[in-house]
Amino acid sequence: MQEHTFYIPIIHFEHSLRKSYDLGHQFTLMPFPDDLEKEYRLFGHGYFKRRYGDELIKEIKRAYILKYVRHPEEFKSFNDVIYKLEDPIISFLVVLRLLKPTEAVFKSILFSPALTEGLPFDFIDYRLHAFHPRILDEHGRLVEGQEFEKFTEADLPNITFYFGQLLNLLKNEFHYRRIFNTLRYFDLGYRSANIDTRLICFSVAMEVLFKPLRGKLTRGMCVMIAEFLSKVNTERDQIYRRFVEIIDFRARIIHGDMPYIDLSRPDKVELVHDLEHFVRLSLQKIFRHDDLIEIFSSLREREKYLATLAA
């Protein structure tokens, strides 16, 4: 049986990358291979061409590809392919978001050998959405400073590190369920085009990490978060005050005092951005320290650790 090679285009991936990069674990980040386009045009590729035509190929060619070589196995259907690929490829998107704001998404999966007899590769219409609210001027253009920061070669060591960490933790997902629950709400926030939902998902992600087992979402949790993220007094005080502002704003939305976030108010949009940033910084720190990964994965040890942060 032949090993499978998967090509997963990353759409809206702002970058200045130019070559192929080995990420380990049989994954490679690379430009779209010319031979796939040639095979597509040579075979006409039935369903793919009828449904999508050349437009998707043009979009994919502008994208970078996550290539994954998987050991030989028999796939029963396209759904079976998606089921076995979802965890690692969603983990890659999460890693990009852990590093910086992005709207990078997956839009399809191309793989060979094909399940469909007589075709050089198969195509699956697989779409994941991402949204990052940005402030526009009266003409609908991004205001200065709202552009996404591009991914560069300097980001590759961190991409490789965090991706490897996540793939290793996936081997024992139940044990690390608190971390994966945090990542799940971080991911759900990114998938929502509704900024209110985004705020709620990111705040739940922080609660999963820092809310004591018995207790409410209080300013005491804000103390823990500030203590966790910084040991510098002035910076810690700034984080504390900002997070108090965030949970007060969240409470107003959840309890109906404020029905929605007004996107024309840059200060309110920035609150959501800052909350996203706090989730990002918290997860980065945890993934950088194996002892913290274990502490946050143990109910008893996490409670003891949170008590030291609050002391």
Side-chain angles (χ1 to χ4, degrees):
M1 189 180 294
Q2 190 176 346
E3 65 185 9
H4 285 83
T5 303
F6 298 89
Y7 302 93
I8 308 154
I10 312 168
I11 309 299
H12 308 311
F13 179 42
E14 302 281 346
H15 66 86
S16 59
L17 306 177
R18 293 289 179 270
K19 56 185 180 180
S20 296
Y21 306 90
D22 182 12
L23 304 179
H25 300 270
Q26 305 297 107
F27 285 89
T28 306
L29 192 59
M30 60 183 290
F32 185 71
D34 290 337
D35 58 333
L36 271 184
E37 182 187 4
K38 290 176 183 175
E39 288 178 341
Y40 158 73
R41 300 199 183 284
L42 179 64
F43 282 80
H45 207 282
Y47 169 81
F48 183 91
K49 190 168 187 177
R50 287 197 305 273
R51 178 81 181 270
Y52 300 98
D54 290 338
E55 288 305 309
L56 186 56
I57 279 290
K58 290 178 182 176
E59 185 176 35
I60 290 174
K61 281 179 65 178
R62 293 194 296 267
Y64 242 62
I65 301 290
L66 185 64
K67 177 184 176 183
Y68 176 36
V69 179
R70 191 178 174 97
H71 57 76
E73 66 180 296
E74 184 176 349
F75 293 103
K76 299 175 183 176
S77 65
F78 287 172
N79 285 337
D80 191 29
V81 172
I82 293 173
Y83 175 77
K84 291 175 179 175
L85 258 65
E86 264 191 328
D87 279 348
I89 64 178
I90 290 176
S91 294
F92 183 77
L93 283 184
V94 169
V95 164
L96 295 181
R97 296 163 187 168
L98 277 177
L99 293 179
K100 57 187 74 174
T102 176
E103 287 185 344
V105 292
F106 296 129
K107 201 166 185 179
S108 54
I109 299 173
L110 300 95
F111 67 96
S112 62
L115 299 184
T116 308
E117 189 175 349
L119 291 179
F121 66 89
D122 255 322
F123 165 79
I124 300 175
D125 182 13
Y126 177 77
R127 296 166 186 248
L128 288 176
H129 301 284
F131 171 73
H132 192 271
R134 292 183 283 176
I135 302 166
L136 307 178
D137 63 18
E138 64 273 15
H139 303 293
R141 297 187 296 254
L142 290 175
V143 302
E144 187 176 351
Q146 291 291 304
E147 301 84 1
F148 288 130
E149 182 185 349
K150 289 186 176 182
F151 288 87
T152 68
E153 288 196 356
D155 294 310
L156 264 297
N158 281 329
I159 290 175
T160 303
F161 173 78
Y162 289 126
F163 192 42
Q165 283 281 63
L166 268 179
L167 293 180
N168 286 328
L169 295 184
L170 274 170
K171 297 173 184 175
N172 194 358
E173 186 175 354
F174 181 77
H175 176 69
Y176 298 111
R177 59 191 178 278
R178 184 177 298 276
I179 291 173
F180 280 106
N181 279 340
T182 305
L183 291 170
R184 182 163 65 92
Y185 283 106
F186 187 53
D187 178 52
L188 287 173
Y190 254 95
R191 293 195 200 191
S192 176
N194 181 284
I195 194 170
D196 306 60
T197 304
R198 189 182 184 91
L199 173 84
I200 293 167
C201 287
F202 289 156
S203 64
V204 171
M206 292 299 278
E207 288 180 53
V208 171
L209 288 178
F210 294 105
K211 192 176 84 64
L213 184 61
R214 291 179 177 84
K216 297 180 179 179
L217 185 59
T218 64
R219 298 194 177 196
M221 193 181 95
C222 302
V223 172
M224 297 177 200
I225 292 168
E227 187 69 33
F228 180 77
L229 291 178
S230 179
K231 300 301 180 187
V232 179
N233 286 339
T234 53
E235 192 174 82
R236 188 172 57 221
D237 291 344
Q238 288 174 356
I239 294 171
Y240 170 79
R241 288 195 298 271
R242 190 60 166 168
F243 208 84
V244 167
E245 193 176 354
I246 288 168
I247 65 169
D248 287 348
F249 185 58
R250 168 192 177 276
R252 292 180 64 192
I253 290 176
I254 287 178
H255 299 298
D257 182 44
M258 178 180 286
Y260 61 89
I261 298 176
D262 186 349
L263 285 172
S264 68
R265 294 276 304 277
D267 58 324
K268 302 305 181 189
V269 176
E270 284 304 316
L271 274 178
V272 182
H273 287 175
D274 287 348
L275 176 56
E276 174 190 342
H277 187 57
F278 290 147
V279 180
R280 180 178 293 114
L281 290 179
S282 300
L283 287 168
Q284 285 179 0
K285 182 172 179 178
I286 290 170
F287 283 127
R288 281 286 173 190
H289 298 86
D290 290 342
D291 59 332
L292 287 178
I293 291 175
E294 295 304 326
I295 285 170
F296 278 91
S297 300
S298 165
L299 185 61
R300 180 176 298 177
E301 293 304 315
R302 188 186 76 103
E303 291 296 303
K304 287 165 57 178
Y305 182 70
L306 293 181
T308 65
L309 291 177

